[in-house]
Amino acid sequence: MNATAGAIATYNFAYLDEQTKRMIRRAILKGIAIPGYQVPFASREMPMPYGWGTGGVQVTASILGPDDTLKVIDQGADDTTNAISIRKFFQKTAGVATTTRTGDATVIQTRHRIPETPLKSGQVLVYQVPIPEPLRFLEPRETETRKMHALEEYGLMHVKLYEDIARNGHIATTYAYPVKVEGRYVMDPSPTPKFDNPKMHMSPALQLFGAGREKRIYAIPPFTRVVSLDFEDHPFTVQDFGRPCALCGAEHVYLDEVILDDAGGRMFICSDTDHCEERREAGHAGEMLAGEAAQ
Amino acid sequence: MNAIDKPAGHGQDGTGEAPLLSVRSVSKFYGTRIGCQEVTFDLWPGEVLAIVGESGSGKTTLLNCISTRLPPSAGTVNYRVRTGEMRELYRMSEAERRLLMRTDWGFVHQNPADGLRMTVSAGANVGERLMAVGDRHYGHIRDTAIDWLGRVEIGEDRVDDQPRAFSGGMRQRLQIARNLVTGPRLVFMDEPTGGLDVSVQARLLDLLRGLVADLGLAAIVVTHDLAVARLLSHRMMVMKEGRVVETGLTDRVLDDPQAPYTQLLVSSILQV
């Protein structure tokens, strides 16, 4: 394998062969035509284990062109193992430009987060999905769940939410929170925190979901209604952390807890590393940075 | 079998003379073996029909054929839907059939684990049908669930317990509550008292009799226990080897059995 620039002849562009890409693009088009519907596709073996984003990688490989700029997110961060290895994979096999800036990217492959910076028209967000079936843990039979989707029998999804309230007093599902797409299909938004659910609603960007092991692709076209399920007397709400990011001072963003010492010290920082960096470059500072500056 | 005894006016929702369910020449074959053969009967609103017979006589096969759980090999099943129109069940779309099953019908299984969701709370079990027909108000669903648990003599404090923490009799009562919450007009019961001890059986039968009378339910009860048939049903059908050998009012059939097999069945009851 020759990894020098321009020497990608050992692979077809973006690793997959053209027939495979064509098959996946057909599945994507069908998914876009029926928002929220899980389209079966002939998922391929990829040079990484299941659970590391094989579905997302196949979708990205099929839609990537030489002019695209790719960004890869893992739990909001650009610098974790999964993000770096997938970014390098496409640098090597497709030679495309990569970035960590949300605004500069045309294709963003993500695991577990939607960027804080609002997406714009022309961008594509590719989600890695472990279990695409929102009804799976309630109804183990695939034949039955397909029938339930076909006949729009979604009462069972509310049984889960009912159980949450009965046990915890509120809807305790915080990630993979089920949504209804364009008033028809109930969809699992992949394990993104429910904090990100409102960002899917009427997004100008195209959102594609790939599940490699489960061999399913689904999609939300731009400007599609995405409504989180709830009860009339227990409406859907997103997490509120009650504090700003300790590094950049951003409010109303999704925060990660970082343990600082073994004496209870902790700070909460943006889960979206790119958003945090951009804000710090623009001169914003949270309490942690302000403290350092004072010293 | 052609003699369809008309009950003494149990109809109470104004449909009067019209049957709720009309079964014509229903047969089911498992390869060359017979499940049930040429069964014909009508069921009127508010009427309870018992199907009795020994194991393997085709009772459960017949029940499954009527309740759209098992397509029959021949024959038709017609049901009067709420609009008053008579519909052939196996000509309805699957969506319509499934809607019927979870709103207008109930099905009480012999083993409560088959009819309940064992991993969700009692309240959610009762509320599932409400949510399936579009109720999206948690407080209302919960109040209805507690009300129904009370009607089947399960305390309000058990509403958040899972059915696996319940005794056999409680599970069976929970299953009944779950089926009745949407106000069905027809309930199928497959050996509802099977596997329960006699004192629990007696209470369950008492409860069922009260509910059926209060709600004006029509019911088809499959049982091998003639005492259950005696207590619950207005009319009964005796089956043997897949065929109906005798039908009639329950008291008549049990006190004055005509068919040799029915005579054998009635004389087989242990007198204590």
Side-chain angles (χ1 to χ4, degrees):
Chain A
M1 239 182 305
N2 194 338
T4 52
I8 58 165
T10 43
Y11 294 107
N12 189 34
F13 178 77
Y15 188 76
L16 292 175
D17 62 277
E18 293 306 313
Q19 285 304 315
T20 299
K21 286 194 229 173
R22 188 178 141 118
M23 173 271 294
I24 294 174
R25 285 175 196 144
R26 277 167 176 259
I28 293 172
L29 286 174
K30 184 168 179 182
I32 293 170
I34 318 170
Y37 171 72
Q38 299 167 44
V39 185
F41 79 110
S43 176
R44 298 292 193 249
E45 294 268 337
M46 296 303 282
M48 60 182 72
Y50 285 133
W52 286 48
T54 51
V57 163
Q58 289 177 77
V59 171
T60 303
S62 310
I63 60 170
L64 214 53
D67 302 332
D68 274 317
T69 308
L70 179 70
K71 170 182 161 77
V72 185
I73 315 171
D74 172 13
Q75 307 268 15
D78 289 280
D79 52 4
T80 52
T81 318
N82 201 260
I84 291 175
S85 55
I86 292 176
R87 198 160 59 225
K88 282 193 173 166
F89 175 77
F90 283 113
Q91 271 171 347
K92 184 185 276 182
T93 60
V96 292
T98 58
T99 181
T100 58
R101 296 279 186 215
T102 303
D104 297 343
T106 53
V107 176
I108 305 171
Q109 181 171 335
T110 182
R111 172 171 178 263
H112 299 192
R113 277 312 308 280
I114 299 174
E116 303 288 358
T117 312
L119 299 176
K120 44 185 202 262
S121 177
Q123 288 184 311
V124 183
L125 189 59
V126 179
Y127 296 76
Q128 303 169 197
V129 183
I131 295 166
E133 179 52 71
L135 303 162
R136 175 59 66 239
F137 291 109
L138 304 155
E139 177 52 67
R141 288 168 295 177
E142 175 71 16
T143 47
E144 185 66 14
T145 54
R146 282 198 209 182
K147 203 167 271 179
M148 290 161 86
H149 281 295
L151 300 176
E152 231 178 316
E153 285 181 6
Y154 290 133
L156 198 53
M157 206 72 246
H158 274 85
V159 172
K160 178 182 167 10
L161 302 180
Y162 174 98
E163 275 297 279
D164 265 1
I165 304 174
R167 285 186 197 170
N168 306 299
H170 60 98
I171 299 178
T173 305
T174 52
Y175 67 96
Y177 192 103
V179 294
K180 195 163 208 179
V181 181
E182 201 63 19
R184 176 59 179 85
Y185 282 98
V186 165
M187 187 193 91
D188 183 341
S190 85
T192 50
K194 68 175 179 180
F195 183 88
D196 288 338
N197 274 14
K199 294 180 194 160
M200 306 173 99
H201 178 64
M202 287 295 170
S203 170
L206 171 64
Q207 302 172 75
L208 303 175
F209 299 77
R213 177 176 44 207
E214 302 287 324
K215 302 179 171 55
R216 294 287 183 279
I217 285 173
Y218 50 104
I220 303 176
F223 302 106
T224 301
R225 282 178 289 133
V226 179
V227 181
S228 304
L229 301 181
D230 60 1
F231 285 103
E232 288 159 18
D233 47 348
H234 285 267
F236 172 79
T237 52
V238 298
Q239 293 102 325
D240 181 27
F241 296 87
R243 71 188 81 205
C245 168
L247 295 179
C248 75
E251 293 186 30
H252 308 297
V253 293
Y254 194 78
L255 301 180
D256 283 340
E257 183 182 5
V258 179
I259 306 286
L260 297 175
D261 50 37
D262 56 4
R266 62 179 65 178
M267 65 173 177
F268 287 84
I269 59 165
C270 286
S271 133
D272 185 342
T273 53
D274 168 59
H275 182 252
C276 201
E277 275 164 25
E278 275 184 43
R279 276 181 59 88
R280 273 179 278 154
E281 278 167 24
H284 297 278
E287 54 177 3
M288 220 56 180
L289 287 186
E292 273 174 28
Q295 284 167 8
Chain B
M1 282 123 276
N2 324 352
I4 298 154
D5 305 57
K6 174 90 173 61
H10 293 290
Q12 47 183 266
D13 56 1
T15 43
E17 297 301 299
L20 184 67
L21 186 78
S22 184
V23 179
R24 291 287 172 270
S25 305
V26 164
S27 303
K28 174 71 191 176
F29 302 103
Y30 298 106
T32 53
R33 274 173 294 130
I34 296 167
C36 62
Q37 201 169 9
E38 290 289 320
V39 178
T40 296
F41 69 91
D42 284 331
L43 184 76
W44 274 266
E47 185 191 21
V48 180
L49 173 74
I51 303 175
V52 299
E54 59 193 10
S55 290
S57 60
K59 306 184 299 277
T60 301
T61 297
L62 176 62
L63 190 75
N64 287 339
C65 285
I66 301 167
S67 58
T68 73
R69 294 158 54 84
L70 182 72
S73 312
T76 60
V77 184
N78 285 282
Y79 177 72
R80 187 171 302 282
V81 293
R82 282 184 193 244
T83 56
E85 183 192 355
M86 210 66 181
R87 297 285 305 274
E88 193 178 331
L89 291 176
Y90 287 96
R91 295 252 170 104
M92 289 166 97
S93 71
E94 187 167 15
E96 283 177 303
R97 272 208 305 268
R98 286 172 71 111
L99 183 70
L100 197 66
M101 285 202 79
R102 60 172 196 263
T103 55
D104 226 17
W105 289 4
F107 198 106
V108 177
H109 294 262
Q110 176 174 11
N111 179 5
D114 295 342
L116 292 172
R117 279 188 200 282
M118 298 303 277
T119 52
V120 302
S121 68
N125 263 294
V126 179
E128 181 177 344
R129 276 182 163 222
L130 295 173
M131 293 181 245
V133 295
D135 196 330
R136 293 288 178 265
H137 193 282
Y138 175 81
H140 175 249
I141 294 167
R142 194 174 173 81
D143 291 344
T144 313
I146 289 171
D147 176 45
W148 268 99
L149 290 179
R151 289 209 222 179
V152 297
E153 298 165 18
I154 297 175
E156 184 179 340
D157 57 323
R158 303 302 300 270
V159 65
D160 291 332
D161 290 349
Q162 293 187 2
R164 51 182 163 200
F166 286 7
S167 69
M170 282 175 84
R171 288 182 191 184
Q172 198 57 286
R173 295 201 300 268
L174 177 62
Q175 199 193 173
I176 289 163
R178 171 183 160 91
N179 274 289
L180 297 186
V181 67
T182 47
R185 296 192 300 155
L186 175 59
V187 179
F188 301 97
M189 298 187 210
D190 188 4
E191 307 274 10
T193 58
L196 301 176
D197 63 63
V198 281
S199 59
V200 175
Q201 267 192 31
R203 277 180 58 206
L204 185 73
L205 283 173
D206 203 35
L207 177 78
L208 269 179
R209 200 154 61 147
L211 284 172
V212 166
D214 288 350
L215 302 167
L217 288 176
I220 297 180
V221 184
V222 161
T223 182
H224 58 254
D225 187 342
L226 292 180
V228 171
R230 170 84 88 176
L231 276 168
L232 276 182
S233 68
H234 303 121
R235 207 153 54 93
M236 61 189 278
M237 241 163 57
V238 183
M239 290 187 74
K240 184 178 189 292
E241 289 165 4
R243 289 180 174 274
V244 176
V245 294
E246 186 165 2
T247 65
L249 296 178
T250 303
D251 290 345
R252 204 279 291 153
V253 173
L254 290 178
D255 294 339
D256 179 21
Q258 305 286 314
Y261 176 71
T262 317
Q263 290 169 356
L264 177 76
L265 203 63
V266 170
S267 63
S268 304
I269 301 175
L270 273 181
Q271 305 290 339
V272 283

